[in-house]
Every structure is written in C-alpha cells, then in structure tokens.
Amino acid sequence: EPEVTQTPSHQVTQMGQEVILRCVPISNHLYFYWYRQILGQKVEFLVSFYNNEISEKSEIFDDQFSVERPDGSNFTLKIRSTKLEDSAMYFCASGWDVWRTFGSGTRLTVV
Amino acid sequence: QQQVKQSPQSLIVQKGGISIINCAYENTAFDYFPWYQQFPGKGPALLIAIRPDVSEKKEGRFTISFNKSAKQFSLHIMDSQPGDSATYFCAASKQGGATNKLIFGTGTLLAVQP
C-alpha cells in the first residue's frame, strides 16, 4: 500500500535555528498538507497546497513558515527561526478530494 | 464555527464491550465526516467515514451514526479488543474546492482492558 514518507522521524534544534521537514507524498495525489500535533493535543491544520501553490493556511502558519514542492515529488515545510512553542509532531498528508493519507510524522524538539 | 467538539476525552472499556465516542459540529457546510485512529508515534489513519446523506455506516466492528439535524455524529466500536486501544479523532471537512482541509476534534484516548 502506498505510503507518505516523512524524514527525519525526530529532529532536535536550537531556538532560532531554521529547520526543514521533508515529506514524500503518494505520487498520484493532488492535495498536500501539513498538520501539527502538540503532545497530547489535537491535530491542527497548518497549510494546504494544491496546483503548485498554497490554497489555504491557518493562523498558525505565519511568516516563519513556508512550504515548497521543489521537484514534483518532495514536499517540504520550512520553519525559519524556531521557537520553543514550535515543538510538536508535524504530519504531512496527501490525498485527492477528501481522502488523505498521513505520514508517521516528524517530532520536532526546540531547545 | 470551524470547531468540532469531541467527548469523552478518555474512555476505558472492558474487552468485548461497546466503545462510544461522540462529536458535534457547528458548520453546516461540512459534508464529510471521517474518524481517524492514531497509535502512539504514528500518524492518524482513516478508520471509517460518512457523508450526510446517510444516517449510519458500518464497516466490520466500527459504525458511524450521523444525526444531521442535531449536527452530531458518533463512533461505535462493537466487541472492543485490546488492539483497539488508541486515540480516536473525529474530523469534518467540506468537499470540493482547493483545500478540503480537515478540522479535527480534540481526540479520545481509548483503553480496552483485557
């Protein structure tokens, strides 16, 4: 069964540093998403990407965040200057219409 | 209006019992209601989903009941097993458009005791 692959599984970074979280979505999917989940809390929508551009973003997705699909296969989330409160699990998802598959996530720890 | 409210926050059920998790939504534009199952360290995985043109959908031991007028839907897990122990999230979405973003409930931690 096709999977959404995320790397790394765990990243520790210093506050103020830039991080790039990487995702390889399922190849024939049209919609791409990033969600985050602070430990023990609900899954929160960050951004959706469709037709090579951001289609919607949440209030969490401020100027410190950006997404790219640089080569038609990878889908990345960049956080320019990490804050302690960015510590969370970040999930990439891909899909078509309302169906989507989530990756196993990257645990980001900002120290 | 984008919220999805979920209860209970946690649930303990004996093996073989019925687990019931409830959700309520506000936005009448939502037209797709999935349930996701999440094991520790893993991403949410789609369990079962329903559209508002039906009142019930059953897949194996899992059933969604949907009440459009009350704007509520629930997940029933029949004959609950220890392997069902996980966090369950309800969600809602509006089909079509360039987003199809999911709004998740707050999650229910289910523990099925052997």
Side-chain angles (χ1 to χ4, degrees), chain B residues 24-88:
Chain B
Y25 63 99
E26 298 169 347
N27 188 347
T28 54
F30 289 145
D31 55 8
Y32 173 72
F33 303 91
W35 284 89
Y36 282 83
Q37 180 187 56
Q38 185 182 32
F39 292 105
K42 297 294 185 183
L46 179 65
L47 190 61
I48 186 172
I50 197 168
R51 289 190 166 90
D53 52 346
V54 297
S55 60
E56 186 175 283
K57 183 174 181 180
K58 184 175 180 180
E59 289 183 2
R61 296 185 293 109
F62 301 92
T63 300
I64 300 179
S65 297
F66 187 83
N67 185 330
K68 188 174 181 179
S69 61
K71 292 187 284 187
Q72 294 176 346
F73 58 110
S74 59
L75 176 69
H76 292 63
I77 306 174
M78 313 299 287
D79 187 27
S80 300
Q81 299 297 312
D84 297 330
S85 297
T87 300
Y88 292 81

Side-chain angles (χ1 to χ4, degrees), chain A residues 18-25 31-34 47-55 61 64-80 92-93:
Chain A
E18 174 182 287
V19 294
I20 297 176
L21 310 183
R22 302 181 191 278
C23 169
V24 179
Y31 298 87
F32 310 100
Y33 307 87
W34 284 100
V47 65
S48 60
F49 194 85
Y50 171 73
N51 201 24
N52 290 317
E53 61 183 13
I54 291 174
S55 49
F61 194 89
Q64 294 300 313
F65 291 86
S66 62
V67 290
E68 274 191 340
R69 190 162 155 77
D71 55 12
S73 61
N74 294 286
F75 182 50
T76 62
L77 174 70
K78 182 192 291 186
I79 309 175
R80 288 190 184 83
C92 173

